[in-house]
Amino acid sequence: MTDETMTDDAVAVELPLTEKLEAILLIIDEPHSLVSLAAAVGAPVPAVRQAIESLVDEYDGRGQGPRRGFELREVGGGWRLYVREDYDDLVADFVGGQAPARLSQAALETLAVIAYKQPVTRSQVASIRAVNVDSVVRTLLGRGLITELFQDSETGAINYGTTDALLQNLGINSLDELPPISPLLDDGSEGFDERIAR
Amino acid sequence: MTDETMTDDAVAVELPLTEKLEAILLIIDEPHSLVSLAAAVGAPVPAVRQAIESLVDEYDGRGQGPRRGFELREVGGGWRLYVREDYDDLVADFVGGQAPARLSQAALETLAVIAYKQPVTRSQVASIRAVNVDSVVRTLLGRGLITELFQDSETGAINYGTTDALLQNLGINSLDELPPISPLLDDGSEGFDERIAR
Amino acid sequence: MAPSPDESAPAPDAAELESVAEDASGFRVSLSNFDGPFDLLLNLISKHEMDITEVSLSKVTNEFIAYLRELGSDEDLDETSEFLVVAATLLDMKVAGLLPQGELVDAESVALLEARDLLFARLLQYRAFKEVSVWFARSLQYEDRRHARAVRLDEKHRARTPELVWTLSAADFGTLALLAFAPKEIPTVGLDHLHAPLVSIREQAAIVVTLLRSAESVTFREIVAGAVEPGVVVARFLSVLELYRHAALSFEQLEPLGELTLRWSAEHWTDEMLATLGADYDR
């Protein structure tokens, strides 16, 4: 070691990246991307990625120590600490409280249409479901599962898309993880959208 | 393993006490006493004490695994996870970067809704604003502009209200001095609540 | 699909009528379970365990129309009219199915085929989203049970956040509140213009009868000349079919797809017969 490593900066660098990340992970209340975490701990993204991976392994008991009661999950485009699944019931009993109201079948179907067809307007969703979807869209907006993306400059129609909160609520990391749906969809909808738009 | 350990109950018992404790510790806001933790995990207090001690050691790097960026500390007669002191500056920088000096328009509007409708629950605010307000409410709580008033005994929903800090910021002495907006309040919100409830 | 000639028809039909009658009482109550016309169609199709692309049209159409009648006038007009659009398409398809194959390949039948394909495409699409919504429900439900760390910031760390810059006066705050409470009406576009006016087969039949009786022979082309609404054309064609059933007219078509020439041939025709014409389509 040289004298240089004794300056404050150098000491900061000496602290293990994994520990720094754990400190940040302990205080965040939503998923943070590798880039955001890298900025927080002042380390390059590849190093952060590696450190995160080793934390995942350690918490899962694949490191030197025992398995932990929590785990590190990548959800909704970022990393966040979660209670390990085995203990969800235990924690639920402890926390109490009621589960949030389930979404209606209409809301689920509308959500699915928006997830796969985004950006999509309400009237486009309505044409696929063949019912008025206004109140359902409101509910989904209120739950933060969808958001207004932009307004069509010509028609003034608002285009909707899904949020990161939806990904979190689904427990997936990106829209790519949605299950594939029938390829028939594309054919059917194209002609249809044109007709219904009249 | 005997046949007995294969039943659901037996398997649940098999889960390590330390992991159970970690699951609880991950989600609590306030320090919890050994008695309270023991009740949460359904184990005798001495066993919980021992498990907590071994967690303290593990997090501090005196176990098999590496040291963690957080620690388990006893404060005011209860146990809770804290960021390890070495990382206080890191966290402070991160938090400072995350929290802008000004409230966003969304936060201000949510604050206005809470100010005029208090006591009010998060979901009520969300339906008035037609967007998810969870993170905004956390910001306002963090800024000390609103506070948790009480928990609804039936639904468990937390009711929020504004604080004296808001009154000071607005330069008024009491909520009565807020500019009246009642006519619109009644009309607008009533019909809307009904719609969103569907 | 099971052959539907006369000898095999009665038994299943009777059984079916029974089941429909049984359902009928329950249906009025559970109508809201069918979230839209596609939902109802899918339900009918699955009830008969038929492939969506090989639907026994008349069966499903009849039941769909029957359910449609139960909708009543107090239902949401927008939703009812969506049901009507689907019902109209189904009726078109049923009519096309009644015709000998290959007899009609003019603009109308092409339009009919398009409408049928469109309906199938929409149904398939709707079914795909309905199926995938099960995955959404399961995932949401599973994830609901998970617990993420979301703990309030320590006082110690909170104190390090930059001081809040506050610039609003109480009056500003009131204005802001007005803005926040203004109902966020999502602008809606009325659907009224999408719905074609209802066309009465009886009314159209009266026109057809008048035309037929006024001349020695009339071509179908002449009968629908000037009819702008597709529904009117369909209704006039249906009335021709019905009049043929009543032996009130004869027709001549020299070559497939050729001109359809109609002659009035009724021996005992009274205008009262118009009143019952097309009654099948009421059921």
Side-chain angles (χ1 to χ4, degrees):
Chain A
M1 293 222 178
T2 68
D3 279 352
E4 276 173 347
T5 60
M6 299 312 289
T7 65
D8 273 1
D9 272 1
V11 168
V13 169
E14 289 295 303
L15 290 169
L17 189 50
T18 48
E19 287 188 26
K20 285 190 192 173
L21 286 168
E22 285 180 307
I24 299 292
L25 287 167
L26 198 74
I27 57 141
I28 58 179
D29 54 14
E30 50 190 40
H32 280 247
S33 67
L34 286 180
V35 173
S36 162
L37 291 172
V41 299
V45 171
V48 170
R49 186 196 321 270
Q50 211 177 348
I52 288 284
E53 276 165 15
S54 79
L55 283 177
V56 169
D57 284 348
E58 284 171 23
Y59 294 170
D60 287 352
R62 292 188 298 272
Q64 290 169 306
R67 192 176 83 148
R68 311 260 67 122
F70 43 80
E71 60 179 338
L72 197 47
R73 290 176 76 202
E74 190 178 19
V75 161
W79 293 90
R80 191 175 178 190
L81 287 172
Y82 275 79
V83 169
R84 189 168 293 284
E85 196 184 347
D86 303 3
Y87 303 102
D88 278 336
D89 290 341
L90 180 80
V91 169
D93 288 347
F94 177 73
V95 178
Q98 86 289 27
R102 293 265 171 82
L103 289 177
S104 66
Q105 181 61 25
L108 287 168
E109 288 169 21
T110 302
L111 188 58
V113 172
I114 294 175
Y116 284 93
K117 300 281 260 183
Q118 61 186 308
V120 65
T121 64
R122 253 175 323 122
S123 64
Q124 285 165 343
V125 178
S127 70
I128 290 167
R129 300 212 47 250
V131 281
N132 190 309
V133 295
D134 291 356
S135 70
V136 170
V137 164
R138 254 170 212 285
T139 303
L140 295 174
L141 281 171
R143 293 277 190 102
L145 300 175
I146 63 169
T147 184
E148 299 178 358
L149 292 179
F150 57 88
Q151 192 166 19
D152 189 293
S153 56
E154 277 180 31
T155 65
I158 294 165
N159 278 265
Y160 296 90
T162 54
T163 60
D164 285 347
L166 172 69
L167 299 181
Q168 285 178 54
N169 280 302
L170 290 171
I172 60 175
N173 193 36
S174 84
L175 290 172
D176 299 339
E177 292 175 39
L178 290 177
I181 43 174
S182 156
L184 274 163
L185 285 193
D186 295 338
D187 301 338
S189 65
E190 283 314 308
F192 181 69
D193 285 347
E194 274 171 40
R195 301 273 307 239
I196 204 72
R198 290 193 296 181
Chain B
M1 289 223 185
T2 68
D3 279 353
E4 276 174 345
T5 61
M6 299 313 288
T7 66
D8 275 0
D9 272 1
V11 168
V13 169
E14 291 293 306
L15 292 169
L17 187 53
T18 48
E19 289 188 23
K20 285 190 192 174
L21 286 168
E22 284 180 306
I24 300 290
L25 288 166
L26 195 76
I27 51 133
I28 56 177
D29 260 325
E30 302 295 333
H32 277 62
S33 67
L34 285 181
V35 174
S36 160
L37 290 172
V41 298
V45 172
V48 171
R49 186 198 319 273
Q50 207 179 348
I52 287 283
E53 275 165 14
S54 81
L55 284 177
V56 170
D57 283 349
E58 285 172 23
Y59 293 170
D60 287 351
R62 291 188 299 273
Q64 290 170 306
R67 193 176 81 149
R68 310 259 70 117
F70 43 81
E71 59 183 340
L72 192 49
R73 278 212 315 258
E74 188 177 16
V75 171
W79 292 90
R80 221 197 83 176
L81 289 173
Y82 292 88
V83 169
R84 193 169 289 285
E85 237 179 316
D86 303 4
Y87 301 102
D88 277 350
D89 287 342
L90 182 79
V91 167
D93 287 349
F94 176 75
V95 169
Q98 295 281 303
R102 288 168 189 279
L103 289 179
S104 67
Q105 181 72 16
L108 285 170
E109 287 186 21
T110 300
L111 183 59
V113 169
I114 295 173
Y116 280 90
K117 288 281 265 188
Q118 58 188 309
V120 65
T121 67
R122 243 188 336 211
S123 63
Q124 285 166 341
V125 178
S127 53
I128 291 168
R129 303 265 305 119
V131 288
N132 185 281
V133 295
D134 290 359
S135 78
V136 169
V137 164
R138 272 201 297 268
T139 302
L140 295 173
L141 277 172
R143 286 298 189 172
L145 295 169
I146 62 170
T147 184
E148 297 178 357
L149 291 180
F150 58 90
Q151 192 167 17
D152 189 294
S153 56
E154 277 181 30
T155 66
I158 295 165
N159 279 266
Y160 296 91
T162 52
T163 61
D164 287 347
L166 174 68
L167 298 183
Q168 283 167 27
N169 278 322
L170 289 172
I172 55 177
N173 291 317
S174 86
L175 290 171
D176 299 339
E177 293 174 41
L178 284 175
I181 62 162
S182 43
L184 199 128
L185 196 61
D186 294 340
D187 294 343
S189 62
E190 282 312 304
F192 186 73
D193 283 348
E194 272 172 39
R195 303 264 318 234
I196 205 75
R198 291 198 294 182
Chain C
M1 214 145 295
S4 55
D6 293 325
E7 64 269 20
S8 67
D13 267 1
E16 193 150 68
L17 276 177
E18 238 174 60
S19 79
V20 168
E22 264 175 29
D23 286 351
S25 56
F27 188 74
R28 232 163 276 130
V29 184
S30 63
L31 197 63
S32 54
N33 289 349
F34 295 104
D35 187 44
F38 294 157
D39 216 33
L40 175 53
L41 258 188
L42 278 181
N43 195 283
L44 292 178
I45 289 166
S46 64
K47 199 171 93 189
H48 294 296
E49 294 179 347
M50 289 181 294
D51 193 280
I52 206 168
T53 52
E54 287 182 27
V55 180
S56 166
L57 269 178
S58 44
K59 201 184 274 180
V60 168
T61 304
N62 289 347
E63 288 184 27
F64 189 89
I65 302 294
Y67 289 155
L68 179 57
R69 297 165 71 84
E70 301 286 333
L71 266 179
S73 52
D74 49 343
E75 292 289 325
D76 187 331
L77 179 65
D78 283 350
E79 284 177 26
T80 312
S81 28
E82 292 289 349
F83 278 90
L84 282 173
V85 170
V86 172
T89 314
L90 281 173
L91 270 182
D92 283 357
M93 291 158 66
K94 178 177 174 179
V95 169
L98 293 175
L99 294 173
Q101 290 296 315
E103 194 159 306
L104 268 189
V105 184
D106 53 14
E108 289 150 36
S109 59
V110 169
L112 202 54
L113 286 174
E114 275 179 5
R116 189 193 69 183
D117 291 349
L118 215 54
L119 184 68
F120 278 151
R122 291 181 68 180
L123 257 183
L124 285 172
Q125 179 172 241
Y126 177 65
R127 184 170 68 169
F129 283 119
K130 197 176 175 59
E131 279 168 3
V132 84
S133 74
V134 174
W135 179 87
F136 274 75
R138 249 199 336 251
S139 299
L140 290 171
Q141 200 181 331
Y142 168 77
E143 202 58 29
D144 256 2
R145 296 182 45 248
R146 301 303 310 265
H147 296 89
R149 180 164 171 90
V151 169
R152 230 176 322 148
L153 211 51
D154 261 335
E155 199 55 54
K156 167 170 75 172
H157 296 129
R158 206 185 298 171
R160 301 282 291 267
T161 57
E163 184 126 353
L164 186 65
V165 178
W166 186 275
T167 54
L168 292 182
S169 68
D172 293 339
F173 195 67
T175 312
L176 193 74
L178 281 174
L179 192 67
F181 278 108
K184 281 154 204 70
E185 245 345 299
I186 299 178
T188 55
V189 179
L191 295 169
D192 304 349
H193 60 285
L194 290 178
H195 307 304
L198 289 176
V199 180
S200 154
I201 290 177
R202 250 151 275 159
E203 280 172 27
Q204 296 304 318
I207 295 170
V208 171
V209 169
T210 311
L211 282 171
L212 283 169
R213 294 174 92 169
S214 67
E216 174 78 4
S217 67
V218 186
T219 65
F220 186 71
R221 205 176 295 281
E222 286 166 346
I223 282 180
V224 296
V228 185
E229 293 285 336
V232 173
V233 177
V234 171
R236 288 193 188 168
F237 185 72
L238 288 176
S239 42
V240 166
L241 287 180
E242 287 294 308
L243 290 167
Y244 179 72
R245 263 176 61 177
H246 285 81
L249 61 78
S250 64
F251 66 85
E252 189 178 65
Q253 194 175 33
L254 295 177
E255 50 178 346
L257 316 181
E259 192 82 76
L260 185 64
T261 309
L262 309 168
R263 272 189 187 78
W264 186 248
S265 64
E267 286 174 12
H268 322 281
W269 178 264
T270 60
D271 282 347
E272 280 79 57
M273 292 173 77
L274 272 179
T276 55
L277 201 69
D280 282 358
Y281 297 98
D282 294 342
R283 302 269 143 214

